[in-house]
Amino acid sequence: MKEISYEEIKTLTEDTYVFIDIRDEGLTEYGMIPGAVRIFEDDLENSNELSGIPLDKKLIFYCEIGRKSRELDDTIEMLKDRDCYSLAGGYIGYVRSGIRDEKDIEEKRQRVEESIRKKFHKQLFTPFAKACKTYKLIEEGDRIAVCISGGKDSMLMAKLFQEIKRHRQVEFDLTFLVMDPGYNKDNRELIESNAKALGIPITIFESTIFDTVDTIEKNPCYLCARMRRGYLYSKAKELGCNKIALGHHYDDVIETILMGMLYGGQIQTMMPKLHSTNFEGMELIRPLYLVRERDIRLWRDYNDLHFLQCACHFTDTCTSCNIDGTTSSKRLEVKKLIANLKKINPFVEANIFKSVENVNLDTVIEYKQGGVRHHFLDDY
């Protein structure tokens, strides 16, 4: 399919074309081009959405980086006799085209910070500060490596750390750490430009993780997630940090609890902080532990921000990657399940979260602590 750049599209009048987003649902959750119609690639041949678009309009298809849309077969029956194009650079290219001059960057940074202090203070800063206090995540003299993946969660976490440091209740130092596991040029530049626009002074280091897992057939995403964490611990310790901060939020926690039960046959949770078993003296903390994902999205959209989800170099985008190596399809299933349960019981999310705070060991058949299994018959 022939390509068209976003700069070329800007010369067209808006009523002469329509964007068609062919990415999967997990990716579109992270943002779409305004006004775009979402049609999954496999549904193009039988889509009623396409038949409803006037024949004289240009159809501009896009994926994440422009590869899948470029390879679309424009001989598909529904596309015959239509003026079809692939958006060069895909969604990432569209996002990068919005990078403005220094004055615009400064205005955006000020707007973002003001939104955290005012409009989203209760939804974002308050639960962030509460988690830090409740779970003792920030302590006097800490040197914290704030790990930034390029997504909305870690970018917001960095801004919230800057805000809480401004309050000067505890003296601690921050390093904003970005690991490049082998990003393509466009994805790395997107992270760098977003960090610049948000006023986050990042430290970037490189690894070869993507090349390493490229040859792994079984569970490459799990291995990738484990290796990423190891590299982050190692670099943070090298820089003199005693903690690494990851951007997992409240919804990640409750989804992990439910996924453990449904797919792993176990009861466990994502802890707000952990001692590292391989890096002595290092801790992992999760200061977004009480922050809701919907509020992060509202903040992102209010400020017209666009971030990476994942940028694995051996797929169009790593749609199977997730926070702990589990597939996005399973996590999406659980997310939808929770949403459906909430329609019946509005307290279901809070109940899932609290369930691991109210474990009654007298009613548990068997549990494991410190690697040792304990059975109820041991003391019956």
Side-chain angles (χ1 to χ4, degrees):
M1 184 175 288
K2 54 191 174 184
E3 284 189 307
I4 185 171
S5 70
Y6 193 68
E7 292 303 317
E8 290 175 290
I9 294 172
K10 287 179 179 178
T11 66
L12 305 174
T13 55
E14 291 188 6
D15 60 350
T16 61
Y17 64 88
V18 60
F19 285 114
I20 311 291
D21 191 322
I22 64 169
R23 298 174 301 160
D24 70 23
E25 189 174 357
L27 285 174
T28 57
E29 288 287 324
Y30 281 73
M32 293 173 60
I33 296 177
V37 176
R38 187 177 71 189
I39 304 175
F40 298 134
E41 185 181 359
D42 294 339
D43 298 335
L44 284 175
E45 289 200 61
N46 305 304
S47 174
N48 291 325
E49 293 276 6
L50 274 180
S51 59
I53 299 172
L55 293 174
D56 61 344
K57 284 200 173 187
K58 292 178 173 61
L59 303 181
I60 302 175
F61 295 89
Y62 71 89
C63 56
E64 190 74 357
I65 61 174
R67 189 174 70 191
K68 283 187 176 180
S69 57
R70 187 174 62 246
E71 295 173 354
L72 278 179
D73 184 2
D74 49 14
T75 64
I76 293 174
E77 188 64 33
M78 290 296 289
L79 302 183
K80 283 182 179 179
D81 304 319
R82 302 296 297 254
D83 197 8
C84 300
Y85 298 85
S86 166
L87 178 61
Y91 181 72
I92 296 300
Y94 156 75
V95 171
R96 291 196 62 237
S97 70
I99 299 171
R100 302 178 178 89
D101 58 29
E102 293 295 330
K103 181 181 177 182
D104 290 326
I105 288 174
E106 180 60 21
E107 288 177 355
K108 172 162 278 193
R109 182 190 64 77
Q110 291 177 0
R111 176 183 169 87
V112 164
E113 293 176 355
E114 184 178 351
S115 71
I116 289 174
R117 291 168 191 158
K118 295 181 179 179
K119 184 174 178 64
F120 294 99
H121 187 274
K122 183 178 179 180
Q123 298 95 323
L124 298 177
F125 184 76
T126 298
F128 175 86
K130 181 180 179 181
C132 290
K133 183 176 181 180
T134 302
Y135 304 116
K136 299 180 180 178
L137 304 183
I138 303 176
E139 297 172 295
E140 193 74 30
D142 275 344
R143 299 194 65 178
I144 302 171
V146 181
C147 300
I148 298 174
S149 66
K152 68 184 191 315
D153 307 326
S154 60
M155 286 291 193
L156 171 63
M157 176 177 66
K159 294 307 296 180
L160 290 171
F161 263 116
Q162 287 180 329
E163 181 64 16
I164 202 168
K165 186 172 176 61
R166 192 176 68 88
H167 290 218
R168 295 185 178 278
Q169 292 187 358
V170 177
E171 286 298 323
F172 64 98
D173 292 322
L174 295 171
T175 297
F176 299 100
L177 195 58
V178 175
M179 180 186 66
D180 181 347
Y183 291 134
N184 65 43
K185 180 173 177 288
D186 286 342
N187 288 326
R188 173 156 171 165
E189 288 180 358
L190 177 60
I191 295 174
E192 291 172 336
S193 60
N194 273 331
K196 182 179 179 181
L198 294 175
I200 303 170
I202 56 175
T203 297
I204 302 180
F205 73 101
E206 297 176 354
S207 72
T208 58
I209 291 178
F210 281 174
D211 288 335
T212 302
V213 301
D214 198 1
T215 58
I216 304 297
E217 293 184 6
K218 188 175 181 181
N219 295 327
C221 300
Y222 175 76
L223 177 62
C224 181
R226 292 292 300 271
M227 290 180 69
R228 282 174 183 244
R229 191 165 299 181
Y231 271 98
L232 288 169
Y233 268 127
S234 180
K235 188 64 176 181
K237 190 168 186 177
E238 177 189 319
L239 294 174
C241 299
N242 65 310
K243 293 179 179 178
I244 66 170
L246 301 184
H248 302 141
H249 48 66
Y250 184 99
D251 296 77
D252 289 328
V253 176
I254 61 175
E255 289 160 17
T256 297
I257 294 170
L258 214 50
M259 287 181 72
M261 296 174 66
L262 299 179
Y263 299 111
Q266 57 189 340
I267 297 175
Q268 63 176 14
T269 189
M270 181 180 281
M271 298 296 286
K273 65 178 180 179
L274 290 167
H275 289 294
S276 171
T277 54
N278 298 318
F279 295 87
E280 187 177 353
M282 296 292 293
E283 254 186 303
L284 180 156
I285 61 173
R286 296 184 169 105
L288 296 184
Y289 204 76
L290 303 178
V291 177
R292 298 306 309 265
E293 185 177 25
R294 66 170 178 266
D295 294 322
I296 300 176
R297 287 178 178 161
L298 288 171
W299 168 80
R300 174 200 64 190
D301 297 341
Y302 174 80
N303 290 292
D304 191 27
L305 299 169
H306 302 271
F307 301 114
L308 284 180
Q309 179 197 23
C310 181
C312 196
H313 75 165
F314 55 89
T315 58
D316 187 51
T317 183
C318 193
T319 56
S320 58
C321 275
N322 214 288
I323 57 175
D324 51 8
T326 54
T327 64
S328 63
S329 59
K330 284 188 172 62
R331 189 165 287 276
L332 196 57
E333 284 176 20
V334 171
K335 191 183 289 288
K336 290 179 177 178
L337 174 60
I338 294 172
N340 287 329
L341 291 172
K342 190 179 177 181
K343 295 175 184 176
I344 304 169
N345 176 7
F347 306 107
V348 70
E349 293 162 313
N351 288 341
I352 295 172
F353 187 89
K354 292 176 182 176
S355 67
V356 290
E357 296 178 351
N358 296 302
V359 178
N360 185 347
L361 291 181
D362 291 334
T363 63
V364 173
I365 300 295
E366 188 174 77
Y367 68 94
K368 185 167 67 173
Q369 186 175 34
V372 178
R373 288 191 173 275
H374 304 271
H375 197 278
F376 87 103
L377 287 178
D378 295 343
D379 301 305
Y380 185 74

